[in-house]
Amino acid sequence: MTAKLSLPQSSKMLSKDFVYGVATASFQIEGGASKRLPCIWDTFCDTPNKVVDGSNGQTACDHFHLWKEDIALIDSLGVDAYRLSISWPRVITKEGKLNPEGVQFYTNILESLKSRNIKAFVTLYHWDLPQYLEDEGGWLNRNTAYKFRDYVELISTAFGDLVHSYATLNEPFCSSFLGYEVGVHAPGKVGKEYGRKAAHHLLLAHGLAMQVLAKTSPNTKNGIVLNFTPCYSETDSAADKQAAAFADDYFNQWYIQPIYEGKYPDIINKLPIAHRPDIVEGDMEIISQPTDYLGVNFYTRAIYRYDDKEYFFQIEPPEPRTDIGWEIYPQAFTDLLVSLNEKYSLPPIYITENGASIDDVIVAGKVEDVRRFNYYQQHLNAVNDAIEKGVVVHGYFAWSLMDNFEWAEGYLKRFGIVYVDYDTQIRTIKQSGYAYKALISNR
Ligand code: FCB
């Protein structure tokens, strides 16, 4: 493949200050499970019929043992930054103390990144809640937010100046809605009375952690990573438009409005009392701490029609789609960034995840992932269009560095710009990876 990822010559995304990175998450790549406490994803994987291929995170990409090679791989891609997450159950004991071995694992990685001049973007929670906390109610227990604060205080102090940026949480929508409302993610709880309550405690955890980071780590860029699936109406009918607006409040604005406006969307008043979060006085002030940046994860959009029972009904995504069934619709990315920028008074945005699941094949040591290349080309342009419309974006991270454990899909979906052979743990840079490298180094 000779194609090159390109941007208009005048693009701000071609400036050396624009940060390009790759992203991963602890549970999805590390393995090394015997060296940490169990988390909710271990339990979920052990429950029959939860993960499509019946797999788990015991070995994953064995990054726990191969981290040196992996950091060299990241360096070879020429990126400015690496977004990784910390496994809470690896660094904190049941007694709430630091586990020195776990901390050392990450300190080694952070030091290696620093020596190579790669900025470390550290996510403090990417879904691997210690199982012993879930046994006490998990995110339905308000106390979990305070346990998170304590963990953040200890770990951010231990890391000192090795970190460039902290994200408190990755995608609280997924932790709360997927994990506690529809149950397709760990811990697999199902009930409308759970989702919003879990979300509130996650947002509270974010606010408490921001307060702590302001003290322990005032020199890092501290913020949060939210995912957005922009909502479109199937037709122009008032009913369909209303359905899409309701879904947008329920899935997207629910997580950002509390942070930047200190309140939940008005649809909260339409929810049955039993489904509403338990808000204690002062919570919204804690949640709406100022952030240094907003991390935005984008993959696809969703289309809704009116439904008289549930307010909205999501129709099947049209083609073209990636192999995980998500529609490819880059215009939604530009629309999203522009609309967030209009609605809120935001700090600079980093695109903290964007990428495509493609059923790659490796032939004679090469992966010609043309469809992933095209996805990146279209979505980089979409970000550039938003920047031209006045949105302040400071960086872009490809999801993901390498193929990994894709949650309820197991190892069946490949998102990497590097191919992983799970039998041999051999990594092979895909054509999209080479194209990404060329874009970065040709600036
Ligand atoms: C996001 C997650 C990330 C990855 C991608 C495909 O929701 O943050 O871990 O699984 O989706």
Side-chain angles (χ1 to χ4, degrees), residues 1-47:
M1 194 166 71
T2 48
K4 282 193 184 125
L5 288 171
S6 62
L7 285 160
Q9 253 193 340
S10 60
S11 172
K12 291 198 174 138
M13 294 171 76
L14 291 177
S15 132
K16 282 263 182 198
D17 299 338
F18 192 87
V19 173
Y20 282 98
V22 285
T24 63
S26 48
F27 191 86
Q28 295 180 276
I29 65 164
E30 285 177 2
S34 64
K35 298 282 190 179
R36 57 161 173 77
L37 293 175
C39 73
I40 55 175
W41 271 93
D42 296 312
T43 313
F44 196 72
C45 292
D46 286 348
T47 314

Side-chain angles (χ1 to χ4, degrees), residues 25 28 126-127 170-171 174 227 297 299 326 353 399 406-407 415:
Q28 295 180 276
H126 201 126
W127 311 351
N170 177 69
E171 305 187 348
C174 293
N227 62 304
N297 292 355
Y299 290 93
W326 300 347
E353 284 181 30
W399 183 272
E406 179 44 39
W407 309 113
F415 272 94

Side-chain angles (χ1 to χ4, degrees), residues 5 13 18-25 28-29 74 77 79-84 121 126 296-299 333 350-357 369 372-373 375-377 379-380 383 395-404 414-418 430 432-437 439-440:
L5 288 171
M13 294 171 76
F18 192 87
V19 173
Y20 282 98
V22 285
T24 63
Q28 295 180 276
I29 65 164
I74 292 168
L77 291 169
V79 293
D80 309 304
Y82 174 43
R83 174 172 177 242
L84 70 156
F121 279 64
H126 201 126
V296 170
N297 292 355
F298 174 88
Y299 290 93
F333 203 179
Y350 283 83
I351 307 307
T352 32
E353 284 181 30
N354 180 231
S357 159
D369 55 340
R372 183 176 293 100
F373 169 90
Y375 182 97
Y376 277 118
Q377 179 60 70
H379 288 77
L380 286 163
V383 176
Y396 176 97
F397 289 77
W399 183 272
S400 175
L401 162 66
M402 58 184 160
D403 299 333
N404 57 49
R414 294 179 177 272
F415 272 94
I417 58 171
V418 173
K430 301 177 191 178
S432 60
Y434 285 117
Y436 193 51
K437 172 181 176 158
L439 169 75
I440 297 167

Side-chain angles (χ1 to χ4, degrees), residues 157-217:
T157 305
F159 288 160
D161 64 359
L162 293 173
V163 173
H164 177 79
S165 160
Y166 281 110
T168 54
L169 306 177
N170 177 69
E171 305 187 348
F173 156 81
C174 293
S175 303
S176 57
F177 181 78
L178 301 182
Y180 289 86
E181 193 163 322
V182 291
V184 298
H185 275 190
K189 274 211 156 37
V190 182
K192 288 206 165 162
E193 68 276 34
Y194 300 142
R196 309 287 122 182
K197 295 193 202 313
H200 184 68
H201 294 148
L202 279 150
L203 290 167
L204 180 65
H206 155 75
L208 291 167
M210 287 301 295
Q211 290 179 331
V212 159
L213 289 169
K215 292 202 190 99
T216 58
S217 197

Side-chain angles (χ1 to χ4, degrees), residues 112-138:
S112 170
L113 291 171
K114 191 155 213 169
S115 73
R116 294 167 186 271
N117 218 358
I118 300 170
K119 296 183 170 77
F121 279 64
V122 168
T123 300
L124 293 158
Y125 184 72
H126 201 126
W127 311 351
D128 37 6
L129 184 72
Q131 181 60 43
Y132 70 89
L133 290 178
E134 181 56 35
D135 296 341
E136 291 166 18

Side-chain angles (χ1 to χ4, degrees), residues 403-424:
D403 299 333
N404 57 49
F405 176 79
E406 179 44 39
W407 309 113
E409 305 287 341
Y411 295 96
L412 300 177
K413 301 295 177 210
R414 294 179 177 272
F415 272 94
I417 58 171
V418 173
Y419 186 91
V420 176
D421 177 328
Y422 295 108
D423 292 330
T424 60

